[in-house]
Amino acid sequence: MNGQLTVKDQITIDAPVSKVWEVLVAPKYIRQWDDLPEGFDDYYLEPGRSIEWSGVSRTTVTDSEPNKLLRLSLYVSKWELPPASYDIAYTYRLAEQDSQTVLMLEIGDFSVLEDGDNYFEASVDFAKESLPKIKNLAENRV
């Protein structure tokens, strides 16, 4: 498959980077913009922490630099090869700009998958739905 199947999107948030970071790593906020499996405890996302949907998929925090970068590697159990064979992730980058925060989201690259187009399209939808929710939570939390 030619070309990358990587979703790239961003949003400007009228909140300090620390508030945006909290919305990205605290389960009480994550549940408001993304799904978490039933029974997932209220542990903050930190390096090595995994979110597992039993028998379906797993995301693992592989890189975390507070207030700057959060990377969750994705693995879906129906993929042919073992997890180490893939470099597919959700990457959140934060940058301060004046009194605002720019949140950049990159998801993929799905081009290594036979049905990568489907994952790409689903990720486009995810970005369109989740970024405004993250913005709203960061701007309106106390």
Side-chain angles (χ1 to χ4, degrees):
M1 188 174 289
N2 288 336
Q4 288 192 347
L5 289 176
T6 302
V7 174
K8 294 181 182 180
D9 204 346
Q10 71 178 42
I11 196 164
T12 301
I13 302 171
D14 292 316
V17 70
S18 61
K19 284 192 174 188
V20 179
W21 181 257
E22 182 80 5
V23 171
L24 292 177
V25 299
K28 70 179 181 179
Y29 295 115
I30 296 169
R31 285 183 178 91
Q32 297 176 61
W33 59 268
D34 195 6
D35 293 328
L36 285 177
E38 202 170 303
F40 185 81
D41 290 325
D42 283 332
Y43 297 116
Y44 278 51
L45 298 187
E46 56 190 24
R49 174 90 50 225
S50 287
I51 303 170
E52 186 144 358
W53 288 264
S54 188
V56 179
S57 67
R58 177 179 64 240
T59 55
T60 303
V61 179
T62 53
D63 203 356
S64 177
E65 192 176 336
N67 300 325
K68 292 187 179 181
L69 172 72
L70 178 66
R71 186 173 200 271
L72 297 113
S73 292
L74 172 65
Y75 181 71
V76 175
S77 57
K78 70 177 184 177
W79 293 348
E80 289 182 21
L81 302 173
S85 303
Y86 299 98
D87 185 23
I88 299 173
Y90 292 79
T91 305
Y92 300 86
R93 296 181 196 282
L94 295 93
E96 292 182 81
Q97 187 175 29
D98 301 320
S99 62
Q100 299 175 314
T101 300
V102 177
L103 173 59
M104 296 156 276
L105 173 59
E106 186 173 306
I107 311 168
D109 173 13
F110 296 110
S111 64
V112 296
L113 302 174
E114 188 174 309
D115 56 350
D117 288 330
N118 295 335
Y119 287 97
F120 177 82
E121 292 302 324
S123 296
V124 167
D125 292 342
F126 172 79
K128 284 182 182 173
E129 293 172 16
S130 63
L131 288 176
K133 290 178 183 178
I134 293 168
K135 174 182 173 73
N136 185 50
L137 285 164
E139 290 178 350
N140 294 305
R141 60 177 274 254
V142 198

